[in-house]
Amino acid sequence: AVSTPAHAIRQEGYAILRGVLPAADVEDARERCLVELRNEKLWFAGGTIAGHIAYTLPPDMEIVAKLITNSSVVSCVSEILGSDFQVLSVGCNVNLPGSTFQPAHADGDMDCEYLAVNLPLGEVTETNGSAELFAGTHRTKLKYVEFMRACRTDISRRANTHSGDVIIRYPNLWHRGTPNHSE
């Protein structure tokens, strides 16, 4: 049986939708974000010490509209949340060169009724710090010590992506940022 992205999200906690946005548009967004990063116009949160930062995309950025109206993204999210879902915010994570491992964590609790839709702004590999996701950990509420006991290499997955790919996941899926060894 062919697994749909929504089925994968329910089972594994995440899915990568491959090539759903134009790679050139993603690269344009990346270049704009790099300019704003250099000009310190981005809002920082989420661990600048480890080299992992979060920021809000400017609402006038074309890629935002393309992401939230993309038929593959909308179809997947609707299948899980229903067709009346709302987009509450649009943000990004950046893994800076020289970063270290983030502590493993979940962004939400078991009662969350939303999804995280991540848009990688370019190719993301194990060299430049693709996120590490722990498959299936969204199905059980785990305290950190319980996660550490349950964490095994066989549930560890790296979210390696190309420009135009989108990651959709449950926020309560355990994950962490990894070192960015690139320039």
Side-chain angles (χ1 to χ4, degrees), residues 30 33-34 37 42-55 91-103 105 118-133 158-161 167 175-183:
R30 180 179 184 276
C33 290
L34 286 172
L37 177 65
L42 299 177
W43 174 78
F44 293 94
T48 57
I49 293 171
H52 303 273
I53 59 173
Y55 65 92
C92 285
N93 295 303
V94 174
N95 187 349
L96 298 173
S99 64
T100 60
F101 278 104
Q102 281 183 317
H105 62 282
N118 302 120
L119 172 61
L121 293 178
E123 185 170 339
V124 183
T125 66
E126 292 182 25
T127 299
N128 66 3
S130 58
E132 184 175 21
L133 309 172
R158 292 298 288 267
N160 296 329
T161 56
I167 303 165
H175 62 282
R176 68 179 176 170
T178 64
N180 179 346
H181 300 291
S182 73
E183 296 292 319

